[in-house]
Amino acid sequence: MSRTLACTHRVTLRDDGRHIDLREGEKLLLAAWKGGVGIKSVCGGRGRCGSCVVQIDETAPGALREPSAIERELLPPHPTGGIYRLACLCEVHGDTTISVPPESQAVRSAPRKPYTVGAVATRPLVSRVRFTIEPADAPSPRSLDERIAEGAERVLDRKQVELPLPVVAEFASQPDFDTELELTATVTTARRIVQVVAGRRERCCGIAVDVGTTSFVIFLSDLASGEILAMRTGGNPQAAYGEDVISRIAAIQQDSTLLAAMHGTLLDALNRLTSEACVEAGIGLDDVVDAVLVGNPTMQHILLGLNPETLGRAPYPPVWSGGVELSARELGLAIASHAPACVFPMVSGFIGGDTIAALLTRDAEFRRGTQLLVDVGTNGEVVLSHRGELMATSCATGPVYEGAHIRCGMRAAPGAIERVRVRPDGAIRWTVIGDGTEARDKRPIGLCGSGVISAVCAGVRAGLIGRDGALARPQAHPQLRASRHGGSEELVLVPNVYSRTGRDIVLTQQDVRAVQLGKSALRTGIEILLAECGVKSIDRILLAGTFGNYLEPEDIVEIGMVPPLPVERIRSIGNAAGDGARMALLDRHCRRRASALARRLAVLELSGRAEFQDLFVMHTALSASGASRTRDE
């Protein structure tokens, strides 16, 4: 590695005095993410929304790369003549001090349908027992580990316990451990003690984590009652290294030190959100004594510190496919040091623990009839259940459904357009995602994935977009015009006077083509999967994940993203991966079921299939292919 790449610079966050070290050429947005600053970046750090404005307070000449033409176009004027920069575009080449204006500070909002599985059987892996140990100078002096083990065995009906040396050593670092003490021990069902603390501790809690490419969700739950005590969501800071898993794998291939950087930023963010959840619930981090984590194969590799490079080249084998249980300390989680941390098994280089977790929520129900579970993101995972057998495939749909590669794209966050309609008189109307409060700015910022699909469907129905995906000529509608960024036509969905950014929100010809390519890849994968299993008809389609939460079934049927099916047979099941992780946290038997599901799930690889290209071309048409529709327009 060159000396330049190894150079680091310090970014100081004036808001709270924190210091973040960045490597040469890294972006200010990464500093904000590393420092835990809630900064808006609704386009995912791609320099499209202009929401991540920061103020430069102190900087040396040459410490920041000069703004590009794109950045200058997006930057608002500074009210007092200071310096504004976009954090996602501003490269760091020297020490700098920044502050985040109020209008750039992110508003925390829970995802819609954060969970759909309600009551879960509470049969946790760990529980707490309380007992008293004799002082070291008792009539028959014994070692500390003997006294702890005896006390635990006494309340566990004399069953022998396992007491590891690191657990005793950690407790012995506390003062006065040799006196008579009331202790609380955390014990697994295998009678292995994973924590000993002085005093009486009532709460026994755990975290379930869904680690997504774009964002993650943490559920802090009471292991005895199953109650969700707090929930936290956050953007995945690895987005600073690439918006999708392929980009991040490529970055690691070019510079292997980035694996440690991605691992570190991910753990820092998870630990920060876990700490915030504990503060909300009024418990200490050492009261969190169990963890279950799920994600796609690339995210699980990076979480475990494994190099994911093999997932980026054929035949895409994972380094480690089995489920694994580490201690929290080994994984890097800032909870009780020796608490078990379970990472779900994966099935292939593209079918990960998040898919297994989603299946876990539907295990018995999903085996009846013929059903599809579809999770559409940067990759589309599809699982078919037919005659009690399970087969899965993965389709490279691209990041369009996360709002990426769309001119005015953004994540499904407050201010994102989620629904578009063209009225009979030609007026274009839209609906935005709210933040759960009445006092909010209702003007749109951009288009999330479901908004893009809805806009395309609305355009097709109104005759503004052909079934071949071509936008009509400008004379067909007052809001159709020649693209101002080169290329062909674009449709102005929101004129600049009605948008929160002060810029037109448009749907371009390139956006429509991106939708066509993504939906065709998904539909082609589904059709090959159905043909492989000899399936002629489907009973139900279940939509999982953030994207599925916002989709309208009639839209995806309208453009042929899924096989023709009455829309009442298509339903969203929310954050199924998070649900499955939470089930495994609260019910230890679900961890065994997850491993069994991973062994049962057959995988169909689409690479090399002779029929793929012909089917892909056929399904690029924005056509329902004879879809049955049972709702009014």
Side-chain angles (χ1 to χ4, degrees):
M1 186 187 307
S2 70
R3 186 173 179 178
T4 301
L5 287 175
C7 181
T8 61
H9 306 292
R10 174 154 291 188
V11 177
T12 301
L13 305 174
R14 174 153 288 175
D15 306 79
D16 56 14
R18 272 179 284 187
H19 303 290
I20 307 299
D21 291 328
L22 293 186
R23 297 170 7 136
E24 177 79 10
E26 290 184 322
K27 308 289 177 50
L28 283 175
L29 184 59
L30 179 59
W33 273 331
K34 281 185 173 181
V37 174
I39 185 171
K40 291 178 183 176
S41 179
V42 294
C43 68
R46 296 186 298 277
R48 294 176 181 171
C49 67
S51 63
C52 62
V53 175
V54 296
Q55 178 173 291
I56 308 301
D57 295 321
E58 298 175 18
T59 186
L64 301 177
R65 176 70 57 85
E66 288 296 316
S68 64
I70 293 175
E71 185 178 356
R72 284 195 297 268
E73 180 182 344
L74 292 171
L75 281 171
H78 195 286
T80 61
I83 302 174
Y84 275 158
R85 295 298 301 267
L86 290 187
C88 71
L89 295 178
C90 185
E91 292 183 6
V92 175
H93 298 275
D95 294 353
T96 302
T97 299
I98 67 172
S99 55
V100 182
E103 59 270 21
S104 297
Q105 294 174 10
V107 177
R108 297 188 184 279
S109 60
R112 187 185 301 182
K113 295 184 183 176
Y115 58 91
T116 52
V117 173
V120 179
T122 51
R123 293 173 290 197
L125 179 70
V126 298
S127 59
R128 279 180 157 171
V129 296
R130 286 177 293 276
F131 51 88
T132 301
I133 61 170
E134 294 180 343
D137 58 356
S140 301
R142 283 167 299 160
S143 63
L144 177 61
D145 66 308
E146 289 178 312
R147 288 180 285 141
I148 293 174
E150 181 184 83
E153 289 167 358
R154 188 166 58 246
V155 297
L156 292 171
D157 297 327
R158 299 289 178 181
K159 293 179 180 178
Q160 187 174 5
V161 299
E162 177 188 354
L163 181 57
L165 172 62
V167 175
V168 178
E170 184 173 80
F171 175 70
S173 66
Q174 304 176 43
D176 301 326
F177 70 85
D178 56 351
T179 62
E180 180 177 345
L181 289 174
E182 182 182 31
L183 303 182
T184 300
T186 304
V187 188
T188 71
T189 52
R191 299 189 298 282
R192 185 172 191 266
I193 297 178
V194 296
Q195 182 194 51
V196 178
V197 293
R200 177 178 290 269
R201 295 292 186 92
E202 301 297 335
R203 276 281 171 81
C204 184
C205 305
I207 54 171
V209 186
D210 173 19
V211 183
T213 305
T214 304
S215 60
F216 39 70
V217 183
I218 296 177
F219 297 97
L220 174 65
S221 297
D222 186 302
L223 297 180
S225 67
E227 177 188 1
I228 297 175
L229 303 176
M231 184 185 69
R232 283 293 183 273
T233 64
N236 189 329
Q238 293 174 6
Y241 302 100
E243 64 193 22
D244 53 45
V245 296
I246 298 302
S247 299
R248 294 176 205 175
I249 291 172
I252 292 171
Q253 288 173 335
Q254 294 172 7
D255 182 357
S256 61
T257 65
L258 289 183
L259 172 60
M262 291 187 198
H263 174 78
T265 56
L266 176 61
L267 266 296
D268 287 347
L270 291 179
N271 287 332
R272 184 180 68 252
L273 293 179
T274 300
S275 178
E276 291 177 5
C278 288
V279 170
E280 179 184 332
I283 64 171
L285 283 167
D286 60 351
D287 287 321
V288 182
V289 291
D290 196 8
V292 174
L293 304 97
V294 304
N296 63 52
T298 301
M299 291 303 98
Q300 289 194 187
H301 272 63
I302 295 175
L303 175 68
L304 293 169
L306 300 174
N307 194 317
E309 288 187 45
T310 58
L311 304 182
R313 57 177 184 265
Y316 317 107
V319 174
W320 182 273
S321 61
V324 61
E325 185 172 296
L326 304 169
S327 71
R329 175 178 290 172
E330 289 173 311
L331 190 58
L333 294 176
I335 57 176
S337 300
H338 307 291
C342 169
V343 180
F344 263 32
M346 62 187 78
V347 185
S348 72
F350 292 108
I351 305 295
D354 52 354
T355 301
I356 298 299
L359 281 175
L360 192 62
T361 69
R362 308 287 151 183
D363 191 19
E365 170 195 349
F366 194 62
R367 286 200 299 267
R368 291 192 289 269
T370 300
Q371 301 187 56
L372 281 176
L373 187 150
V374 182
D375 188 345
V376 184
T378 305
N379 278 315
E381 289 85 31
V382 183
V383 182
L384 171 68
S385 173
H386 180 57
R387 296 177 179 174
E389 300 297 322
L390 299 174
M391 180 173 283
T393 193
S394 178
C395 323
T397 53
V400 58
Y401 299 123
E402 304 283 357
H405 293 176
I406 296 298
R407 172 71 57 77
C408 298
M410 63 178 286
R411 298 192 305 271
I417 294 174
E418 63 172 331
R419 201 86 177 114
V420 176
R421 284 284 181 264
V422 180
R423 296 195 323 199
D425 63 1
I428 299 175
R429 296 291 181 262
W430 61 87
T431 303
V432 300
I433 298 172
D435 61 6
T437 66
E438 290 299 323
R440 64 180 176 88
D441 190 338
K442 296 180 173 63
R443 293 175 298 168
I445 299 171
L447 286 162
C448 66
S450 59
V452 176
I453 297 296
S454 182
V456 169
C457 289
V460 169
R461 292 177 188 135
L464 305 181
I465 302 174
R467 292 290 178 180
D468 62 354
L471 283 170
R473 296 299 181 187
Q475 55 267 30
H477 192 277
Q479 289 174 232
L480 275 167
R481 70 187 186 196
S483 174
R484 296 182 179 179
H485 294 270
S488 54
E489 288 73 28
E490 62 188 22
L491 177 62
V492 179
L493 301 174
V494 184
N496 58 7
V497 294
Y498 298 117
S499 76
R500 202 182 308 180
T501 63
R503 295 180 297 278
D504 294 334
I505 298 176
V506 301
L507 181 74
T508 71
Q509 183 66 74
Q510 290 77 14
D511 295 341
V512 179
R513 296 301 185 209
V515 169
Q516 288 180 275
L517 295 176
K519 83 96 181 178
S520 183
L522 179 66
R523 179 66 182 275
T524 299
I526 291 174
E527 293 299 333
I528 293 176
L529 184 61
L530 296 178
E532 183 75 12
C533 297
V535 173
K536 302 297 183 183
S537 62
I538 304 169
D539 299 322
R540 180 181 294 179
I541 296 176
L542 305 175
L543 303 174
T546 301
F547 180 62
N549 287 347
Y550 295 98
L551 276 177
E552 290 291 337
E554 58 262 38
D555 285 346
I556 62 174
V557 171
E558 172 83 22
I559 64 171
M561 184 183 291
V562 296
L565 201 67
V567 293
E568 67 269 14
R569 296 191 194 174
I570 303 173
R571 67 186 180 95
S572 167
I573 58 173
N575 180 14
D579 279 340
R582 192 163 53 90
M583 289 172 62
L585 176 70
L586 298 176
D587 184 354
R588 63 185 183 275
H589 300 304
C590 287
R591 305 185 195 196
R592 186 172 63 249
R593 288 172 53 202
S595 297
L597 278 170
R599 290 192 297 269
R600 285 188 53 205
L601 185 60
V603 176
L604 175 66
E605 296 290 349
L606 297 179
S607 59
R609 300 287 300 213
E611 68 271 39
F612 186 92
Q613 191 60 37
D614 289 341
L615 285 170
F616 183 86
V617 172
M618 180 176 70
H619 288 300
T620 56
L622 299 171
S623 170
S625 304
S628 173
R629 305 192 57 219
T630 60
R631 293 183 187 171
D632 294 334
E633 293 283 355

